[in-house]
Amino acid sequence: MTKSYAAQAADARLAPFEIERRELRPEDVQVEILYCGVCHSDLHTVRNEWRNSVYPVVPGHEIVGRVTATGDRVTRFKNGDVAGVGVLVGSCRTCTNCRKGLEPYCKVGNVGTFNSPDPISGGMTYGGYSKSIVVHEDFVFRLSDEFPLAEIAPLLCAGITTYSPLRHWKVGKGSKLGVVGLGGLGHMAVKLGASFGAEVTMLSTSPEKEPDARRLGAQKFANTRDPAELKRRAGYFEVIIDTVSAEHDYNNYLDLLDTDGVMICVGIPPTPAQVDMATLENGRRSLAGSSIGGIPETQEMLDYCAEHGITSDVEVIDIATINEAYERMLKSDVRYRFVIDMATLR
Ligand code: NAP
Ligand code: ZN
Ligand code: ZN
């Protein structure tokens, strides 16, 4: 049996729970989990905010650790290697999107690392708030061991979820990029956008985060609770990436787009939003969504971050404090990613 932390119901606290991991198949890798990042998607799912949770939920999809066993046919990993697992542990592998390395958009349906029907073992998948995981090697990533592993964990979701759309919409030198929300995803968007050469403006409800935003790479900062600050930036941005987890008015930010600008929503608030179509029509603006990146792009992002020394700013926590960490995340009080030290799961 494998130790984990699970929620047994939408209103229950996460608590210790034992799960069973499958026997290794020939192409499987077993990873001893050393750190797991805490994504707001974990919280949405634990509390059934997306109305698709099947309990018990063992969350966690920013997994880093060490390989402790490999199946006979595994070629890319050996015992002792550092390795990562992100948001997906499977996909059909044969649809047009999977063949292009766009597994998040698998047309048959991919397999999430947690709270997904498990096509191999039956039941639901269990995520990274646990001591170990068994994953097909194609969904395991190679990591640099030059940086603290805890700071690499958040790249597996927060990193790739911001890297992928910034690349897709060709954010580069001189792009005027606005980042909405300075949390886990937002701080990676700032770091990556700045690294790609963009002029980054942080759009935040938390004015006390301004010094951090600038340290992370933002050149400008706007307190979005102040209507005058928003008004001043009307029509300014080529690209806005919205990472907000809670209900908010998208129209306020759409107005900040320049002609032909795009607002990319990666945050997934539990409730649908109302958008004024006139705001899009006026300026030929686009409103877009984006999931995590595919498997090849995730490895590319990890390699890019290793090459450029980009990691996440983390607060490492004891798993026994996970429920308090969720409460802090809800108050936007995270700087800028909680990461569980799995040695504290005994
Ligand atoms: P997080 O660390 O909690 O950050 C969210 C940030 O949004 C907060 O720090 C806060 O920043 C801002 N915010 C919170 N409530 C707000 C409100 N009512 N109005 C305006 N701003 C508000 O969350 P995260 O882990 O980065 O995740 C963000 C969202 O992305 C979640 O919905 C998550 O499920 C989703 N997600 C999507 C994908 C994908 O594939 N598309 C992948 C991962 C996560 P300020 O203090 O700066 O305002
Ligand atoms: Zn996530
Ligand atoms: Zn597919």
Side-chain angles (χ1 to χ4, degrees), residues 38-42 61-62 87 114 156-158 161 185 292 337:
V38 178
C39 178
H40 209 113
S41 303
D42 302 355
H61 57 204
E62 294 183 338
V87 177
F114 68 87
L156 275 310
C157 176
T161 303
L185 268 55
I292 52 167
R337 197 57 140 185

Side-chain angles (χ1 to χ4, degrees), residues 38-42 44 50 61-62 87 157-158 161 180-187 202-209 221 224-225 242-249 253 265-270 289-293 328-334 336-337:
V38 178
C39 178
H40 209 113
S41 303
D42 302 355
H44 288 311
W50 292 331
H61 57 204
E62 294 183 338
V87 177
C157 176
T161 303
V180 188
L182 189 51
L185 268 55
H187 95 291
M202 186 68 234
L203 301 161
S204 170
T205 63
S206 307
E208 70 281 4
K209 291 180 183 172
F221 186 95
T224 55
R225 293 226 192 269
D242 183 321
T243 74
V244 175
S245 51
E247 195 176 342
H248 61 293
D249 189 352
Y253 303 103
C265 297
V266 290
I268 314 171
S290 182
S291 186
I292 52 167
R328 282 182 56 196
M329 188 153 66
L330 282 174
K331 286 188 248 160
S332 304
D333 176 24
V334 45
Y336 281 91
R337 197 57 140 185

Side-chain angles (χ1 to χ4, degrees), residues 91-98 105-109:
S91 73
C92 87
R93 323 298 300 282
T94 54
C95 76
T96 48
N97 280 345
C98 282
Y105 309 110
C106 174
K107 294 190 168 173
V108 178

